Amino acid sequence: MNNLPTIGKYHFMAEPFHCDFTKHLFIGHLGNNLLNAADFHSNDRGYGVNYLNTINKTWVLSRLAIELDETPAIYDKFIIETW
């Protein structure tokens, strides 16, 4: 296993075509970013779906905690942390 930190930090941006009429990120797109961060994290550490599929296994999201002070606005850059 590699020596990556336990917490993965992934950078995203609220792109205009993922925002609503108030110029804030659709919550569904935020959900997609959360799932992408989880996928990146597991793949970076060698137990992602890419590997698991080779041994006929998969992973399942069992817990989700969202701490959100405000919804990202158009062109805002934000970080998703996962562990």
Side-chain angles (χ1 to χ4, degrees), residues 11-46:
H11 298 261
F12 296 91
M13 183 177 67
E15 300 182 52
F17 45 90
H18 291 159
C19 294
D20 62 18
F21 70 95
T22 69
K23 299 183 180 167
H24 287 87
L25 188 65
F26 284 115
I27 196 71
H29 283 287
L30 179 60
N32 287 341
N33 294 142
L34 294 170
L35 290 172
N36 282 327
D39 182 55
F40 298 154
H41 188 248
S42 62
N43 279 315
D44 288 348
R45 284 144 184 83

Side-chain angles (χ1 to χ4, degrees), residues 9-10 15 17 19 27 33 35-38 40 44 49 53 55 59 62-64 66 69-70 72 75 79-80:
K9 295 182 181 186
Y10 302 94
E15 300 182 52
F17 45 90
C19 294
I27 196 71
N33 294 142
L35 290 172
N36 282 327
F40 298 154
D44 288 348
V49 172
N53 282 338
I55 58 170
W59 61 263
S62 64
R63 279 179 278 189
L64 177 65
I66 299 173
D69 295 326
E70 59 187 61
Y75 294 114
I79 297 171
I80 294 176

